[in-house]
Amino acid sequence: MPGLQVPLEHVLMMAAALFIAGLVGLMVRRNIIFILMSLEVMLNASALAFVAAGAHWGQADGQIIFMLILTVAAAEVSVGLGLVLLLQRRFKTLDMDNANRLRD
Amino acid sequence: MTGSTTAELIPFIVYFGGVILLVLTMLGLSFVLGQRRTNKATNTPYESGVVAVGTSQIRLSVEFYLIAIIFVIFDLETVFIFAWAIAFFELGWQGYFAILVFIAMLGVALVYAWRCGTLEWGVKTRVGLEAKDN
Amino acid sequence: MNLAAMQGLLPLLVLGLGAAVLMLQISIRRQLGWSYAITVATLLLGAAAMEPAMQVAPLQVTPLLRVDNLGLFFGSLFCLSGAVTAVISRDYLRSREGENEEYFLLLLLSTLGAVILAYSTHVAALLLGLELLSVALYALIAYPERGTLPLEAAIKYLVLSGAASATLLFGFALIYAALGSLEYAEIAVQISAGRAATSPALILMGAAMVFAGLGFKLSVVPFHMWTPDVYEGAPAPISGFLAGVSKGAVFIAVLRWFLESGFFQYSSLLAGITLLSIASILVGNLLALLQTNVKRILAYSSIAHLGYLLIVLVAAGVSPEPGLAVEAGGYYVVAYVITTLAAFSLLGLISRQSGDREYDQLSDLAGLFWKQPGLAALFTVALLSLAGIPLTAGFIGKFYLISAGVDAALWGLLAALVIGSAIGIFYYLRIIYTMTTVGEQANPGTTADMLVGSRLVVYLLIFAMLYLGIVPEPLMGYLRTIL
């Protein structure tokens, strides 16, 4: 059976919930590793919404975008983890607040 | 639509409830009926009967990070190759050449990673570094 | 993919091939001189490849990319800006040790991302261009080996820009869910076919999220918090690239998305953009007054300039004939990119031998006029152009914007523009005044040890800013024919 088996709105709401969870995590967490994880959650929420919408319209486009998002997220996180290593080496901390020297 | 969906969900909900019930019963019964001992071995982790050695909090070498990242990147690239392989006949020669270019780029990246010493475990010998300070 | 398509994509192919060659060169033999030469050659070739590509324009290559004059013109502008950044970086990196070859590789990739953005007519192309541009920039910002500020700036930029990308994508997913299309032109067809009427809330929310994500990259208020910090922490040539090329490319992508997918029909979206624009102009200019760090001043000034540029979007949406507004936007982007590059180039050039810290405090510039008159002249022209003083590129750009605004009768925005410009003159002139004072500071380095390339770039930038300000007709006429 083609198309989406569950109502599109349900999946979109699920994706929105994931997105908000990621956003909240991004804002309240101080540890850089958790911030990166929250970022991944946000990106994957968007990816889920794309897959659902693609299935709803019976197109492959949504899944293609999903693949691109996966790749992009991997690139982003590998650079991010590289920066985390440097942060640990130079600041001896993974806490973003302790590494906040740029300000007005 | 929604009515039938709810009807379809009922077996699922029953199953879910059953699982929760089963687990609670198992934990609860063993808690009530089971005997309690405070031997030396009570709180040690059960590792298939073998005594655990060392701590689980080992420090991984930072070199592992590089290998892991290279793995993640190249692992993801296979997704694109799979996508091409699924549509192999539809894409024809054009797709074949496109994927060749893609793989060639991956090859260049692999050569780069190899020559930068990313793939070496242990002593790093970064090629070209000694030639740099001229 | 036929021959015509290959010809149309020639700039992208040149840049991609150049990046592969550079990677091989680094793996065969690490040498900065070669990497630099390959980078500059690739970027110049990429800009020159516009000529053969123009012969086949306009041409749609796959649903993702469109080869048209707009994309080609700005693509070559970004290539040239990348080349300017590379030349300045060579001088900047000379006294900074470390493995600097990858710096040029990342710069090349980042420019490739910017060019893809200029071509994009599809969400996938937008995503790829945007991420190629940003991911390479994360690494570039953190490039200096010493000091902690670049690292901190890179992490801030990575986290916020990642969040912005996710927001943007979520917005596009909502639009996709409502309309079933990822292609701009197809979205426009669906909207005008009335399919949008079934779920207007979904589309508006999607469009707002897309705009929020792109607004982050453009650093318009209220998504501007990262800008001063990142510009201050990043190496000066990269700050220039970030402010000039990255924002210019994203703006061109926004312009394309906005015009081609027909979102300007939503008046609530236009009202939102108007608010963002006014807020950016006022906040950017007012906060710039409080700074003592030149990079931060330029960061706030760039926030204000993007506010000015948003007027173009509103004008294009409101007026029945968006031609003039798009033309004004094109001219303004050219003027802004050149001027911003010039301003940050100066900071990069005077910080050539500054060690860990850059000479980016206002007090570091004291007496620059007497010590390095050539560089001071560059900075003066750039600042005058940013302020919009006659005879510079910035003046014509602003004039163009005002006429587009008058045409669309956007009086509120115009008032903000005039007030913002008036405030702006004050802090730009303050920097110029500081340069003329006789400073106590020992300002290191003279023009004597500057590389020939940097010298050439300095003269070219001065020439470009003055030429565009004094003889604007050729570029105006050109933009009129291509837009």
Side-chain angles (χ1 to χ4, degrees):
Chain A
M1 194 160 78
L4 201 56
Q5 307 277 322
V6 287
L8 179 63
E9 292 75 31
H10 291 193
V11 191
L12 287 185
M13 265 185 256
M14 165 84 187
L18 269 178
F19 187 85
I20 290 168
L23 191 65
V24 171
L26 191 85
M27 289 192 285
V28 301
R29 285 286 189 169
R30 303 283 27 122
N31 186 309
I32 176 76
I33 302 258
F34 283 100
I35 292 180
L36 285 179
M37 281 165 67
S38 308
L39 199 58
E40 283 292 285
V41 172
M42 284 173 79
L43 278 169
N44 283 323
S46 322
L48 175 66
F50 267 112
V51 171
H56 175 72
W57 294 106
Q59 297 170 348
D61 300 31
Q63 296 185 32
I64 293 170
I65 297 280
F66 174 69
M67 271 164 52
L68 294 180
I69 293 180
L70 269 188
T71 320
V72 158
E76 203 147 310
V77 158
S78 50
V79 174
L81 287 178
L83 295 179
V84 168
L85 285 183
L86 281 177
L87 187 77
Q88 172 66 29
R89 199 176 295 164
R90 288 192 197 155
F91 286 88
K92 305 289 176 216
T93 177
L94 289 180
D95 194 318
M96 274 308 281
D97 284 348
N98 291 340
N100 195 1
R101 302 189 187 174
L102 287 168
R103 48 176 67 204
D104 278 320
Chain B
M1 173 72 188
T2 40
S4 69
T5 323
T6 323
E8 281 167 14
L9 277 179
I10 287 177
F12 186 70
I13 293 167
V14 170
Y15 176 74
F16 188 74
V19 167
I20 297 279
L21 206 66
L22 181 69
V23 170
L24 281 183
T25 318
M26 283 164 74
L27 286 177
L29 278 182
S30 63
F31 182 77
V32 175
L33 302 177
Q35 49 184 338
R36 285 189 193 86
R37 284 187 190 155
T38 47
N39 287 348
K40 206 171 69 178
T42 306
N43 286 325
T44 54
Y46 178 71
E47 200 63 73
S48 311
V50 181
V51 180
V53 177
T55 161
S56 63
Q57 312 214 316
I58 351 161
R59 295 178 72 104
L60 283 174
S61 164
V62 78
E63 284 165 5
F64 177 69
Y65 161 77
L66 275 178
I67 303 275
I69 286 300
I70 295 278
F71 169 74
V72 167
I73 298 289
F74 280 90
D75 187 40
L76 263 176
E77 306 303 348
T78 56
V79 170
F80 292 93
I81 300 178
F82 277 128
W84 163 76
I86 290 169
F88 177 78
F89 291 107
E90 287 90 332
L91 291 172
W93 285 109
Q94 194 183 325
Y96 182 69
F97 284 116
I99 205 76
L100 273 191
V101 171
F102 182 74
I103 293 176
M105 276 300 206
L106 282 187
V108 171
L110 186 63
V111 168
Y112 171 77
W114 163 49
R115 297 283 290 183
C116 282
T118 319
L119 306 178
E120 282 172 51
W121 192 273
V123 185
K124 298 268 178 197
T125 49
R126 308 195 79 174
V127 184
L129 260 196
E130 60 282 351
K132 198 179 150 255
D133 47 14
N134 47 5
Chain C
M1 184 83 67
N2 51 18
L3 219 56
M6 292 291 240
Q7 195 178 343
L9 293 184
L10 204 57
L12 296 181
L13 296 177
V14 166
L15 289 179
L17 199 67
V21 169
L22 185 53
M23 226 145 83
L24 282 176
Q25 181 259 319
I26 296 175
S27 34
I28 292 167
R29 190 180 153 84
R30 235 172 221 289
Q31 212 200 24
L32 193 61
W34 273 103
S35 305
Y36 168 67
I38 292 174
T39 307
V40 174
T42 307
L43 288 170
L44 292 181
L45 267 179
M50 171 182 80
E51 189 52 38
M54 222 159 227
Q55 288 162 11
V56 292
L59 178 73
Q60 182 82 32
V61 185
T62 70
L64 267 65
L65 302 168
R66 177 148 76 240
V67 183
D68 60 4
N69 290 326
L70 175 79
L72 287 170
F73 175 73
F74 284 101
S76 60
L77 176 74
F78 300 143
C79 281
L80 290 178
S81 312
V84 166
T85 312
V87 171
I88 301 295
S89 303
R90 175 87 169 102
D91 229 345
Y92 180 85
L93 291 172
R94 215 155 35 126
S95 65
R96 287 170 169 77
E97 309 222 327
E99 293 168 27
N100 291 329
E101 289 83 1
E102 277 84 358
Y103 181 99
F104 290 109
L105 179 60
L106 291 166
L107 188 63
L108 200 52
L109 289 175
S110 203
T111 314
L112 177 61
V115 179
I116 293 177
L117 274 184
Y119 276 66
S120 64
T121 55
H122 190 282
V123 176
L126 181 80
L127 168 66
L128 287 179
L130 207 57
E131 290 302 315
L132 194 52
L133 178 69
S134 328
V135 172
L137 273 172
Y138 306 149
L140 278 174
I141 293 170
Y143 213 90
E145 280 189 14
R146 294 201 180 74
T148 48
L149 293 187
L151 179 63
E152 190 193 324
I155 292 179
K156 274 189 181 166
Y157 187 58
L158 181 131
V159 170
L160 292 176
S161 159
S165 297
T167 313
L168 167 97
L169 286 169
F170 202 88
F172 272 122
L174 292 183
I175 294 174
Y176 182 47
L179 296 175
S181 177
L182 292 167
E183 207 182 328
Y184 298 169
E186 190 64 27
I187 291 176
V189 170
Q190 301 289 2
I191 287 182
S192 57
R195 206 174 193 174
T198 53
S199 46
L202 209 55
I203 293 179
L204 259 184
M205 210 162 91
M209 284 182 90
V210 170
F211 206 83
L214 290 170
F216 237 108
K217 309 265 176 183
L218 293 177
S219 78
V220 292
V221 175
F223 314 111
H224 67 287
M225 303 300 197
W226 58 274
T227 323
D229 290 353
V230 171
Y231 285 13
E232 188 188 342
I238 296 307
S239 305
F241 190 83
L242 202 58
V245 176
S246 165
K247 282 191 184 175
V250 174
F251 183 78
I252 295 297
V254 172
L255 197 65
R256 255 188 203 279
W257 169 65
F258 203 67
L259 289 178
E260 293 186 14
S261 53
F263 274 102
F264 53 82
Q265 296 166 4
Y266 290 92
S267 54
S268 50
L269 202 59
L270 286 181
I273 297 176
T274 308
L275 278 182
L276 292 189
S277 169
I278 293 176
S280 300
I281 294 172
L282 295 181
V283 171
N285 279 317
L286 285 174
L287 288 182
L289 286 174
L290 306 174
Q291 308 300 321
T292 54
N293 182 310
V294 182
K295 272 174 155 177
R296 293 186 89 91
I297 296 182
L298 288 176
Y300 282 112
S301 127
S302 89
I303 294 172
H305 277 274
L306 263 299
Y308 301 148
L309 261 175
L310 287 187
I311 296 178
V312 170
L313 292 186
V314 183
V318 170
S319 71
E321 189 52 57
L324 177 68
V326 177
E327 218 176 290
Y331 198 93
Y332 204 87
V333 169
V334 175
Y336 168 75
V337 169
I338 294 177
T339 311
T340 310
L341 277 179
F344 280 102
S345 292
L346 167 104
L347 291 178
L349 285 175
I350 61 166
S351 302
R352 270 173 318 197
Q353 283 137 357
S354 61
D356 286 358
R357 184 178 92 82
E358 288 189 349
Y359 293 120
D360 53 4
Q361 295 297 322
L362 204 52
S363 53
D364 290 327
L365 293 179
L368 195 70
F369 250 116
W370 317 115
K371 287 166 189 154
Q372 304 192 23
L375 287 180
L378 172 74
F379 205 31
T380 308
V381 176
L383 289 171
L384 291 178
S385 176
L386 282 174
I389 304 289
L391 297 186
T392 58
F395 171 72
I396 306 288
K398 225 166 242 174
F399 186 77
Y400 229 143
L401 272 190
I402 290 178
S403 59
V406 170
D407 195 52
L410 305 167
W411 307 117
L413 280 171
L414 287 177
L417 190 150
V418 171
I419 295 171
S421 304
I423 303 172
I425 288 175
F426 176 73
Y427 61 82
Y428 293 125
L429 287 184
R430 190 166 65 134
I431 303 180
I432 297 179
Y433 170 73
T434 312
M435 289 199 294
T436 59
T437 55
V438 183
E440 312 293 309
Q441 249 87 5
N443 210 332
T446 55
T447 17
D449 61 345
M450 218 154 79
L451 292 177
V452 185
S454 313
R455 251 171 232 274
L456 199 66
V457 162
V458 167
Y459 294 134
L460 273 177
L461 285 173
I462 294 180
F463 173 75
M465 283 185 287
L466 291 178
Y467 180 79
L468 287 182
I470 297 167
V471 202
E473 288 85 9
L475 179 64
M476 278 168 151
Y478 183 70
L479 284 173
R480 203 166 296 135
T481 57
I482 66 169
L483 295 172

